[in-house]
Amino acid sequence: MKFTIFDPITRSQKADAAEDTPAHAVDAPTIGDVIAARMGRRDLMKGALGFTAMAATVSPLAFAAGQAKAATSSFDFPELGAGVQADHAVADGFDADVLIRWGDPVVSGAPDFDPANQSPEAQAMQFGYNNDYVGTVPHPDEPENQNRQLMVVNHEYTNEELMFSGLGRQDRDAEFSGMTEELVNIEMMAHGGTVIEIVRGDDGKWSTVLNSPYNRRITPSTLMVASGPAAGHPKMITSADPTGRNIFGTVNNCAGGVTPWGTWLMAEENFHGYFMGPDPEEGTEDGDLKARYGVPGGWYTWGSYHDRFDTSKEPNEPNRFGWMVEVDPSNPTSTPVKRTSMGRFKHEGAHVAQAPNGRIVAFMGDDQRFDYTYRFVTTRAYDPANPDPNILDDGVLSVARFDEGGKMIWMPLVFGEGPLTAENGFDSQGDVMIQTRRAADLLGATPMDRPEDVEPNPERGTIYVMLTNNSRREVGDENAANPRAENLFGHIIEITAPGGDFAADEMDWDILVKCGDPAVAEVGATFSPETSEDGWFGMPDNCAVDAQGRLWISTDGNAFDRTGRSDGLWSMETEGDLRGTSKHFYQVPVGAELCGPHFTTDDESLFVAVQHPGDGGDEWPEFGRTSTFDDPSTRWPDFAEGMPPRPSVVAITRQGGGKIG
């Protein structure tokens, strides 16, 4: 058998490389093709955004003096300078306090973190690695108390070279020579998620409640059940689970969401990287299904010790990942549920809104170049007086098609409709969900430039689509929604729901901003000329809408070799004369990315997740070598000798109290 070979790059670089590789041949008009067709008619009518047409010869900022209009920003903070440093930073007038770090105790009886003496048993009780999505739900004992809540956090993946002494990058060696069963089991327990109670003191600062009965760790060993159309399907059956319904654990939990009834949605993103085994056999149903999802990815050696992660032994196990997982934080003994009606792909997240008729709508991105944007709408309306715990099992998953005239269509993925029939290899609605990507291919969905967060704004009836980048777009393939070849910096699309109806089948769309340095003409960025040299960014990833309906954007890939600045959080004007103006608010330490911006309902606290601090290091001139546990580019947040960099959740508050921003 031919086995997957591993490349000598960091885990985050490997994820980026996987997302940079299209998993299918692109025949439909890409979102970039569509954007180009609209630029002449629409962008030239939009003042600052019309600068795109001139970007090939003149920098947009050169026109600022003639184009800027007197306007008042909706954000009142002093802008933070952009750059790279070992520590994090926040705008003047605000505090950024570390709330919880990798290895901190979570459940009762958990030991303190000792990086030199880690164990699977300890890690299963401690805060996991690479925190991504952050959300809060009302405390079940005091649901009206805004100062006492349950925080939910996803743990996406692990970096062995930063977690363990003397190991170095394991991705360099196809044999994973430094890994042992003990180390594998530790990193497995560092995956999944955390539920932890948090309280806000009289000083406005947050702390964790370590002995709360609601505290919980979710790991790859946690028993889960599959529900919905794919539950029990033959493609879900393994030797350990003849029912096709009982699944152990979740992996690569990226962004997510919370529901109006207080549950937590965990996205399973790059699940393919956890499987090892033979390359898929082209021309066979099983081989083509695996290839469309990139299985096996071979990023980890878990399959050497756990048969279910070796596709030669359990060929159906990958079909049991790539779902949305719903968890009830208020019940620490509850069984998480994989909601198969919401589709199977590399979920970035699932941000939830409510339609005027009461139905629940979840927006989701499939985080890979040339893949798609999705929406799920429940069949039944949500009744807060009598909530249905299985409301997400019954509904319609749709995929987006962006048309040139500024309209977009949500196309249902329903067995028996259009090409989704037995003649095209589908045997049921469950099969359509297992093969969501192929079903979307057949419907002619618009291939996107790596869609990540898709966030509804109930205040304004809009939806924001974060498109991180697409370095594989070639010259001649540009389009209106992806107007640049070799799109290194990404862009943001704004969708407008008619009458604020997020369940409508037809909507309008436009580009909010094309990212990158607007002072470099060939980049073609379209920030407002009011954006300062610190205010522009590249690679939009996650986002948040605060209680005032304002947009905030976090980034992944603002690396020093590409932009000369670290990742962080920016505010973004979406209306009026300042539309397209961004301001820099928070900066992560070197090597990190920023995930999971989440506001409390009073807008007086902002939680952010700082992921993989100290990753890389080679290209930062002040360090200039590979960053490892023993020799890291930063020791954030502890800055203590012998303590490695630790992914952490940070709580941001205004000094003296008040709303953020």
Side-chain angles (χ1 to χ4, degrees), residues 32 35-63 67 478-485 487 490-492 510-518 520-529 580:
I35 293 177
R38 296 182 56 211
M39 279 177 60
R41 179 170 61 84
R42 296 176 62 93
D43 280 0
L44 291 175
M45 300 297 292
K46 287 191 156 225
L49 293 184
F51 289 158
T52 302
M54 298 174 277
T57 56
V58 183
S59 165
L61 291 185
F63 293 89
Q67 295 290 328
E478 304 90 343
N479 52 64
N482 298 309
R484 295 172 290 184
N487 177 15
H491 53 285
I492 301 171
D510 208 342
I511 293 183
L512 174 60
V513 67
K514 305 181 188 91
C515 303
D517 187 351
V520 180
E522 56 267 28
V523 168
T526 62
F527 290 98
S528 159

Side-chain angles (χ1 to χ4, degrees), residues 55-120:
T57 56
V58 183
S59 165
L61 291 185
F63 293 89
Q67 295 290 328
K69 298 180 180 180
T72 302
S73 173
S74 62
F75 301 96
D76 65 357
F77 62 87
E79 185 165 42
L80 177 69
V84 182
Q85 61 183 35
D87 204 353
H88 68 167
V90 70
D92 286 345
F94 296 85
D95 291 329
D97 302 307
V98 173
L99 178 64
I100 189 168
R101 305 157 295 180
W102 165 50
D104 283 349
V106 171
V107 300
S108 181
D112 291 335
F113 181 57
D114 182 352
N117 294 285
Q118 300 180 56
S119 71

Side-chain angles (χ1 to χ4, degrees), residues 180-197:
T180 65
E181 184 172 5
E182 177 82 354
L183 293 180
V184 163
N185 290 338
I186 292 170
E187 67 176 359
M188 287 181 71
M189 293 301 103
H191 281 68
T194 292
V195 180
I196 191 162
E197 182 176 340

Side-chain angles (χ1 to χ4, degrees), residues 73-340:
S73 173
S74 62
F75 301 96
D76 65 357
F77 62 87
E79 185 165 42
L80 177 69
V84 182
Q85 61 183 35
D87 204 353
H88 68 167
V90 70
D92 286 345
F94 296 85
D95 291 329
D97 302 307
V98 173
L99 178 64
I100 189 168
R101 305 157 295 180
W102 165 50
D104 283 349
V106 171
V107 300
S108 181
D112 291 335
F113 181 57
D114 182 352
N117 294 285
Q118 300 180 56
S119 71
E121 295 76 18
Q123 180 63 85
M125 296 187 289
Q126 298 165 334
F127 194 65
Y129 202 79
N130 274 344
N131 33 230
D132 196 295
Y133 176 76
V134 177
T136 57
V137 298
H139 196 287
D141 298 338
E142 298 182 65
E144 303 302 321
N145 186 354
Q146 295 299 306
N147 296 320
R148 187 184 182 197
Q149 300 186 37
L150 299 183
M151 173 174 281
V152 295
V153 183
N154 286 354
H155 301 294
E156 187 179 4
Y157 65 94
T158 49
N159 296 74
E160 299 97 336
E161 75 278 5
L162 296 172
M163 292 178 66
F164 305 118
S165 178
L167 200 60
R169 291 181 185 169
Q170 288 303 289
D171 288 343
R172 289 181 172 176
D173 191 337
E175 301 298 327
F176 286 97
S177 60
M179 296 302 292
T180 65
E181 184 172 5
E182 177 82 354
L183 293 180
V184 163
N185 290 338
I186 292 170
E187 67 176 359
M188 287 181 71
M189 293 301 103
H191 281 68
T194 292
V195 180
I196 191 162
E197 182 176 340
I198 58 173
V199 294
R200 179 163 49 184
D202 293 339
D203 60 356
K205 299 300 181 71
W206 291 89
S207 60
T208 58
V209 180
L210 297 183
N211 294 319
S212 170
Y214 297 102
N215 292 357
R216 181 181 187 184
R217 279 298 320 281
I218 306 291
T219 74
S221 295
T222 301
L223 178 64
M224 303 183 174
V225 296
S227 69
H233 190 281
K235 290 186 175 75
M236 298 281 281
I237 292 173
T238 66
S239 61
D241 175 27
T243 71
R245 296 175 181 271
N246 299 313
I247 302 168
F248 280 106
T250 182
V251 296
N252 210 261
N253 303 103
C254 197
V258 293
T259 67
W261 51 95
T263 60
W264 163 32
L265 300 177
M266 304 175 68
E268 295 183 329
E269 193 191 15
N270 287 306
F271 65 92
H272 68 292
Y274 296 82
F275 293 92
M276 57 189 302
D279 289 341
E281 186 177 349
E282 295 183 10
T284 66
E285 181 181 4
D286 181 63
D288 292 345
L289 176 59
K290 285 186 172 63
R292 186 62 179 87
Y293 288 90
V295 175
W299 299 355
Y300 295 85
T301 190
W302 294 8
S304 298
Y305 306 100
H306 302 274
D307 287 353
R308 63 191 179 111
F309 292 105
D310 183 344
T311 60
S312 68
K313 298 175 180 177
E314 289 290 359
N316 280 349
E317 189 72 15
N319 299 333
R320 294 148 66 89
F321 294 86
W323 305 103
M324 291 303 309
V325 183
E326 185 175 18
V327 181
D328 181 2
S330 68
N331 182 359
T333 64
S334 62
T335 301
V337 182
K338 298 200 177 189
R339 301 290 183 187
T340 67

